[in-house]
Amino acid sequence: MSDIEILAYHGWGFDARCWNNWEMLMPDSIDWKSMDRGYFREPRSPEFSASTPTKIVFTHSFGLHQCSDEVTQKADILVIFSGFLRFHPTAAQFRRRSKQVVNQMIRQFQDEPLKVLKVFYRNVYHPQKTFELPREIRDTSLLLEDLKKLNTRERSLPSVKENANIFIFHGTDDAIVPKRKGRGLFDKFGNKAQYFEIQNSGHALPMTHAEKCWQMIQPEILHPVQ
């Protein structure tokens, strides 16, 4: 039995493979379990083992909305990448523009889903120029359903243990969720959280900068201060 378990939740338009770099970094003492929503492959919903001493949750982007409070309440550590509670900006003029963009994605997605995903990935991986698209979509209707949820849903602040540690990572060049959203999350959690901005990185932060992010939290995960 492993001493540490990590449940990882990917964001909209991705699957469990977005955590491949992290799985390769993990020592044998960590049992890594990736949730898969089922957009491109068979869905899976892993759970914590009751007997594991240290339970950790990783979320990327809309993955924070896919992860329930029932799960976060069990976590000793919560790690949030490129996260948000409400996708659209608060200011009316910026919210209007943001909703127009997502509504256009929704309309186009019904006829040209891979084309919409290609544009989305280009923005997700910015400022990097290269990325790999999924070869085919397993469940187009589920992708569309979740895109509509992203457009309207507001998540409450995740419920966590009183002594839980929270790490929030955001890319300085995130073209999908501006870094002010990450800072806003940090402010809401208060002194429970630590906040890190990674220079020259975008919304694909956990995919493109896994090693850098892991180096920053590894000591507190492997050797927590009691």
Side-chain angles (χ1 to χ4, degrees):
M1 182 189 77
S2 297
D3 294 330
I4 301 171
E5 265 186 311
I6 296 178
L7 299 190
Y9 293 76
H10 64 79
W12 185 83
F14 286 87
D15 61 24
R17 287 171 291 190
C18 76
W19 301 107
N20 283 352
N21 291 338
W22 285 89
E23 291 193 69
M24 290 188 291
L25 290 169
M26 292 299 109
D28 293 339
S29 59
I30 293 180
D31 185 8
W32 182 281
K33 299 178 179 180
S34 296
M35 161 270 195
D36 199 305
R37 180 70 170 137
Y39 301 142
F40 311 109
R41 306 189 303 173
E42 286 293 323
R44 63 185 189 216
S45 300
E47 298 179 352
F48 283 126
S49 301
S51 57
T52 303
T54 302
K55 299 175 175 63
I56 301 172
V57 170
F58 277 37
T59 71
H60 175 230
S61 189
F62 192 59
L64 183 60
H65 292 243
Q66 307 281 19
C67 180
S68 69
D69 277 357
E70 183 180 356
V71 173
T72 60
Q73 286 168 355
K74 296 175 182 177
D76 302 290
I77 297 173
L78 172 62
V79 186
I80 300 172
F81 296 95
S82 315
F84 59 91
L85 299 179
R86 179 174 58 188
F87 182 75
H88 296 296
T90 302
Q93 68 271 32
F94 299 118
R95 183 171 65 249
R96 189 180 307 112
R97 171 58 182 159
S98 180
K99 285 193 171 185
Q100 286 174 348
V101 170
V102 177
N103 285 330
Q104 183 178 11
M105 287 177 65
I106 291 171
R107 289 192 297 270
Q108 292 179 340
F109 196 87
Q110 301 180 62
D111 298 320
E112 300 177 296
L114 284 174
K115 183 177 180 179
V116 171
L117 278 177
K118 184 175 182 179
V119 174
F120 175 68
Y121 270 50
R122 186 180 298 128
N123 289 324
V124 166
Y125 278 89
H126 171 84
Q128 291 194 185
K129 305 296 183 183
T130 59
F131 55 85
E132 184 176 344
L133 272 172
R135 294 184 179 180
E136 60 182 358
I137 298 174
R138 174 184 174 274
D139 195 334
T140 304
S141 62
L142 183 58
L143 267 167
L144 183 58
E145 175 187 327
D146 284 354
L147 182 58
K148 291 177 179 178
K149 288 179 182 177
L150 181 150
N151 195 29
T152 59
R153 178 180 291 178
E154 180 173 359
R155 198 210 193 284
S156 59
L157 193 68
S159 178
V160 296
K161 292 180 178 179
E162 183 63 33
N163 61 343
N165 290 322
I166 300 164
F167 302 101
I168 299 172
F169 286 89
H170 222 94
T172 58
D173 300 305
D174 194 323
I176 300 292
V177 178
K179 59 188 178 184
R180 66 175 177 272
K181 293 279 190 180
R183 293 174 179 174
L185 267 178
F186 171 63
D187 290 340
K188 287 181 181 295
F189 276 116
N191 59 11
K192 279 181 173 290
Q194 296 182 53
Y195 178 69
F196 306 96
E197 279 185 7
I198 307 301
Q199 297 295 317
N200 304 314
S201 65
H203 194 66
L205 174 61
M207 290 84 96
T208 59
H209 291 70
E211 187 169 1
K212 183 177 183 66
C213 293
W214 172 239
Q215 288 173 352
M216 298 173 77
I217 60 176
Q218 178 182 3
E220 298 197 51
I221 288 179
L222 297 183
H223 308 288
V225 177
Q226 300 297 328

